[in-house]
Amino acid sequence: MLGDPERRKFRDPERTRERLLKAGFQEVYRSGFQSARIDTILAAANVTKGALYHHFESKEALGHAIIDEVVATFLHNRWLLPLQQNEDEDSIDVLIQIVQSIPARPRDLKGGCPLVNLAQEMSRLDELFRRRLEAMFRAWREAVAMALRRGQSQGTVRRDLVPEEAASFLIAMVEGYEVLAKNAQDVKLWNEGITNIVGWLQSLRAPRQPERGGRRMSKPVATQRRRIRVRRKR
Amino acid sequence: MLGDPERRKFRDPERTRERLLKAGFQEVYRSGFQSARIDTILAAANVTKGALYHHFESKEALGHAIIDEVVATFLHNRWLLPLQQNEDEDSIDVLIQIVQSIPARPRDLKGGCPLVNLAQEMSRLDELFRRRLEAMFRAWREAVAMALRRGQSQGTVRRDLVPEEAASFLIAMVEGYEVLAKNAQDVKLWNEGITNIVGWLQSLRAPRQPERGGRRMSKPVATQRRRIRVRRKR
C-alpha cells in the first residue's frame, strides 16, 4: 500500500529520528552523556552525520530529546500509566505491583536507572538537563502522591502521612537501591531491597479499626494480580 | 627547624601527592571521572605532568587513589568513626546524629555524594573502580549493621529486624535522597528526607514492654547531643 516497508524505513525522516533516539539512548545509557560518542550513535543508527544534525542541532539537543521522549516514556509506562489505569484499585496494592515489576535482570542492574544516571551526571553541569530531569522527578512524585491521597480519601491509606513526602520517600528508596544494585551488580541485594520497600508500603495501609492503633495486616497481594495492569518489560 | 615551610611544601613529594589527590578529587567531583581534565588538575595542584605521572602511572591510578584515600576518608570520618567512637551509646541515637550531620549546604547538595557519583558513573564501565566502590559500600553497611546488632543485644533495637538489611535500607534512603536533592538543588527536599529517615530510625527502637506491641516513643535526641561525637564538616 505504501511501498516496500524496508525501503520506506530508511527514507522516512520520522523513522530516522526514532533510530537516532534509540541509538542515542543506548550509547548515553552505556557511557554517560558526556562520554557518549556521536560516531557510535551514527553507526548504531545507520545514519549520516548530516541526517543527525538535520534532526538535532547539537549533541545537547539530542540529549534533551532522549530525556523528553525516551526516558519519559519509561517513566510513563512503568509508573504514571499503571497508577492512572488502576485508579479504582487499592493504591498500596498498585504501588506494590509497580515496585515488584521493576526489571531486575543482570543487565538492568548493571545499567542502572536511566533517570538517575542522567540526573547524577548532568544536574550539576547543565541547567537545561537538570530542569528536564527535575520535571520528571516531579511528575513521578505527583503521580504517587495522588494515588496515596486517593487512598486516604478511600480509607485504605493512613491519614497521618503527608502524600508528597511519602512519595519522595518511595522514590528515594527505589533510586537508592538502584544505585546500590548497580554498583554491587547483585540481584539478591535488589530483591532484598524490593522486599523492604514492599514492607514499608504495607505499613502505609490504614488501620482496620480507625479508633485505635494496631496496623492492618495486608491481604496477600497475589489475589489482586489479575486486576492490576502493570507492564513488566523495560 | 626544617626550613621555610612554603618552600618545603613545593619540594616534598608527599605534599605534591596530596595536592594532586585533592585537586583530582575536586575535578572528578565536579565533572565526573571520564570528563575530568588532567590539565585542570595540574593547574589546580600547581604540579607538572611529569610529577603527576611520577606519583600515579595513569589517570585510572589517580582515580583509584581518589577513591581509596579521599572518598574513603569521608566515609570513615562521617560514618565509621562516629559509630566506633560511640559504641557505648544508644545505636539509634548515634545513627540519627550521623544522618542529621550530613552536610546540606547548597554546594553539598549540588555536588551530591562523591561515592554515589563515582559508583553511578563507573560501576558499569570499569571493574577496578566498581570493586573499590563496592568494598566501601560493604564497609558502610557492615558498620551500620554492627551498631544495630549491638543495639539488639543491648535491648534498644528491635530484634525482629535483620541488621544487614536494615543497614542497606538506611544507606539506600540516604543515597536516594542525595540523588533527588542533587537534581532538585533543594535544601527543603533534603531536610524533609532527613526527617523521614529519622522517623524510620525511631521505628527501629525496641518496644518498652517486650511482651506486647506499642512502639516506644523516642526520648528527645537533643539530650544525647553532648555525649555523641560526630563530625559536622565534609
Side-chain angles (χ1 to χ4, degrees):
Chain A
M1 211 162 88
L2 288 164
D4 176 2
E6 272 309 302
R7 286 188 59 201
R8 267 190 66 241
K9 196 172 85 181
F10 286 90
R11 280 184 188 167
D12 184 338
E14 267 312 301
R15 296 293 290 266
T16 303
R17 194 172 181 285
E18 269 172 39
R19 288 210 310 281
L20 281 165
L21 279 175
K22 195 176 162 195
F25 169 77
Q26 288 300 342
E27 170 67 355
V28 169
Y29 187 49
R30 210 193 66 82
S31 308
F33 177 76
Q34 295 173 92
S35 301
R37 297 192 60 230
I38 291 293
D39 288 346
T40 307
I41 297 171
L42 296 178
N46 193 20
V47 160
T48 63
K49 197 169 269 187
L52 169 69
Y53 289 109
H54 169 76
H55 288 284
F56 305 100
E57 64 179 7
S58 63
K59 187 183 171 187
E60 279 66 32
L62 174 61
H64 297 163
I66 287 170
I67 295 173
D68 296 343
E69 300 177 48
V70 185
V71 183
T73 304
F74 289 141
L75 180 66
H76 182 79
N77 290 340
R78 185 156 306 293
W79 288 83
L80 313 190
L81 197 62
L83 285 169
Q84 216 173 65
Q85 288 182 331
N86 297 289
E87 279 186 353
D88 299 333
E89 307 299 331
D90 180 304
S91 309
I92 303 293
D93 287 343
V94 178
L95 287 169
I96 288 173
Q97 280 291 301
I98 291 175
V99 164
Q100 287 177 333
S101 305
I102 299 173
R105 293 160 298 188
R107 73 163 196 235
D108 301 314
L109 297 186
K110 196 171 177 181
C113 168
L115 182 52
V116 177
N117 292 357
L118 276 164
Q120 273 297 105
E121 181 189 1
M122 299 305 292
S123 292
R124 183 179 193 170
L125 299 176
D126 188 311
E127 186 61 11
L128 293 175
F129 272 85
R130 190 190 73 73
R131 283 199 202 145
R132 280 185 156 77
L133 296 160
E134 190 187 12
M136 289 182 57
F137 278 118
R138 212 182 302 121
W140 187 359
R141 180 163 53 237
E142 196 33 55
V144 174
M146 199 183 291
L148 292 173
R149 228 176 283 126
R150 203 170 49 240
Q152 285 180 322
S153 68
Q154 292 166 348
T156 58
V157 171
R158 275 167 39 201
R159 295 199 190 236
D160 62 338
L161 65 82
V162 182
E164 289 73 18
E165 287 193 17
S168 289
F169 197 74
L170 175 61
I171 293 168
M173 276 190 294
V174 169
E175 298 301 42
Y177 273 113
E178 291 263 14
V179 170
L180 295 184
K182 176 174 178 173
N183 172 253
Q185 294 179 12
D186 184 353
V187 177
K188 197 171 145 268
L189 193 150
W190 175 257
N191 289 335
E192 177 197 301
I194 294 302
T195 304
N196 280 300
I197 293 173
V198 168
W200 176 80
L201 281 168
Q202 300 280 20
S203 79
L204 306 188
R205 293 187 192 278
R208 274 193 196 186
Q209 297 138 311
E211 305 80 30
R212 186 126 189 90
R215 282 177 190 162
R216 173 179 134 183
M217 289 298 292
S218 59
K219 60 183 161 179
V221 179
T223 61
Q224 294 279 349
R225 281 216 174 135
R226 258 165 310 167
R227 295 168 63 201
I228 298 174
R229 286 172 290 176
V230 176
R231 285 171 69 119
R232 292 200 160 261
K233 283 185 197 155
R234 176 164 267 161
Chain B
M1 215 164 85
L2 288 164
D4 177 2
E6 272 310 302
R7 285 188 60 201
R8 267 191 65 241
K9 198 172 85 182
F10 285 90
R11 280 186 186 163
D12 185 340
E14 267 313 299
R15 297 292 290 268
T16 304
R17 193 171 181 285
E18 269 170 40
R19 290 209 309 281
L20 281 165
L21 279 175
K22 196 177 160 191
F25 169 77
Q26 288 300 342
E27 170 66 355
V28 168
Y29 186 49
R30 209 193 66 82
S31 309
F33 177 77
Q34 296 172 92
S35 301
R37 296 192 59 230
I38 291 294
D39 288 346
T40 307
I41 297 171
L42 295 177
N46 193 20
V47 160
T48 63
K49 197 167 270 186
L52 168 69
Y53 289 110
H54 169 74
H55 287 285
F56 305 99
E57 64 179 8
S58 62
K59 187 184 173 188
E60 279 67 32
L62 174 62
H64 297 163
I66 287 170
I67 296 173
D68 296 342
E69 300 177 47
V70 186
V71 183
T73 304
F74 290 141
L75 179 66
H76 182 78
N77 291 341
R78 185 155 307 293
W79 287 82
L80 312 192
L81 198 62
L83 285 169
Q84 217 173 63
Q85 287 181 331
N86 297 289
E87 279 186 352
D88 299 333
E89 308 298 332
D90 180 306
S91 310
I92 303 294
D93 288 342
V94 178
L95 287 169
I96 288 174
Q97 279 290 300
I98 292 174
V99 164
Q100 287 177 332
S101 305
I102 298 173
R105 294 160 297 189
R107 74 163 195 234
D108 300 315
L109 296 185
K110 195 170 178 182
C113 169
L115 182 52
V116 176
N117 292 356
L118 277 164
Q120 274 296 106
E121 181 189 2
M122 299 304 293
S123 292
R124 184 179 193 172
L125 300 175
D126 187 312
E127 185 61 12
L128 292 174
F129 273 85
R130 190 190 73 74
R131 284 202 201 144
R132 279 185 157 76
L133 296 160
E134 189 187 12
M136 290 183 56
F137 279 117
R138 213 182 301 123
W140 187 0
R141 180 163 55 236
E142 195 35 55
V144 174
M146 201 183 292
L148 293 173
R149 229 176 282 127
R150 205 172 47 241
Q152 285 180 322
S153 67
Q154 291 165 348
T156 57
V157 171
R158 273 165 41 199
R159 295 198 188 233
D160 63 337
L161 65 80
V162 182
E164 288 73 17
E165 287 192 17
S168 291
F169 197 74
L170 175 60
I171 293 169
M173 275 189 295
V174 169
E175 298 301 43
Y177 274 113
E178 291 263 15
V179 170
L180 296 184
K182 176 174 178 172
N183 172 253
Q185 294 180 11
D186 184 353
V187 177
K188 196 169 145 271
L189 192 149
W190 174 257
N191 289 336
E192 177 197 301
I194 294 301
T195 304
N196 280 302
I197 293 173
V198 168
W200 176 78
L201 280 168
Q202 300 280 20
S203 79
L204 306 189
R205 293 187 192 276
R208 274 194 197 185
Q209 298 138 313
E211 305 80 30
R212 186 127 189 90
R215 283 181 191 159
R216 173 180 133 181
M217 289 298 290
S218 59
K219 59 182 161 181
V221 180
T223 61
Q224 294 279 349
R225 282 220 172 133
R226 259 166 308 166
R227 293 168 62 200
I228 298 174
R229 288 171 290 175
V230 176
R231 287 171 69 119
R232 292 203 160 259
K233 286 186 193 153
R234 176 165 266 162

